[in-house]
Amino acid sequence: SYAKALCDCPYFRTSKLVVKSDISFTVDKKSFTCLLFTDAYEASLTTSVSTLDISKGDCIFIPAGTGEVKVCGKADFLLCEI
């Protein structure tokens, strides 16, 4: 798994993440997070309140303050936040 910064400006930050197995990150109270899945294979997203199956093309909005988010399986996605 790896992450590559695509844009980091005063208004927003976008990174490309490639997940080979599992990855976790925290969505704190500073910003919401938007995930756009460009590829996914048997992937899911889990927070403290739900688990979602992920497919290529899915766009998921995660509210600020959600806490730990885990992406499981194989997936490529863009992570955008302010």
Side-chain angles (χ1 to χ4, degrees):
S1 298
Y2 70 88
K4 177 182 179 182
L6 299 178
C7 179
D8 191 357
C9 69
Y11 306 106
F12 65 92
R13 181 173 38 252
T14 301
S15 301
K16 178 180 180 179
L17 286 85
V18 176
V19 179
K20 301 292 185 190
S21 180
D22 298 345
I23 190 170
S24 294
F25 55 93
T26 300
V27 178
D28 60 23
K29 292 182 180 183
K30 292 184 211 171
S31 172
F32 64 85
T33 298
C34 182
L35 306 178
L36 175 59
F37 286 84
T38 57
D39 200 7
Y41 179 75
E42 295 182 5
S44 64
L45 181 140
T46 302
T47 67
S48 62
V49 295
S50 66
T51 298
L52 301 170
D53 290 332
I54 302 299
S55 298
K56 180 178 181 177
D58 286 349
C59 184
I60 299 175
F61 180 86
I62 303 170
T66 295
E68 184 179 22
V69 176
K70 187 173 185 178
V71 176
C72 300
K74 294 180 182 177
D76 297 355
F77 61 96
L78 300 178
L79 184 151
C80 303
E81 56 192 352
I82 57 173

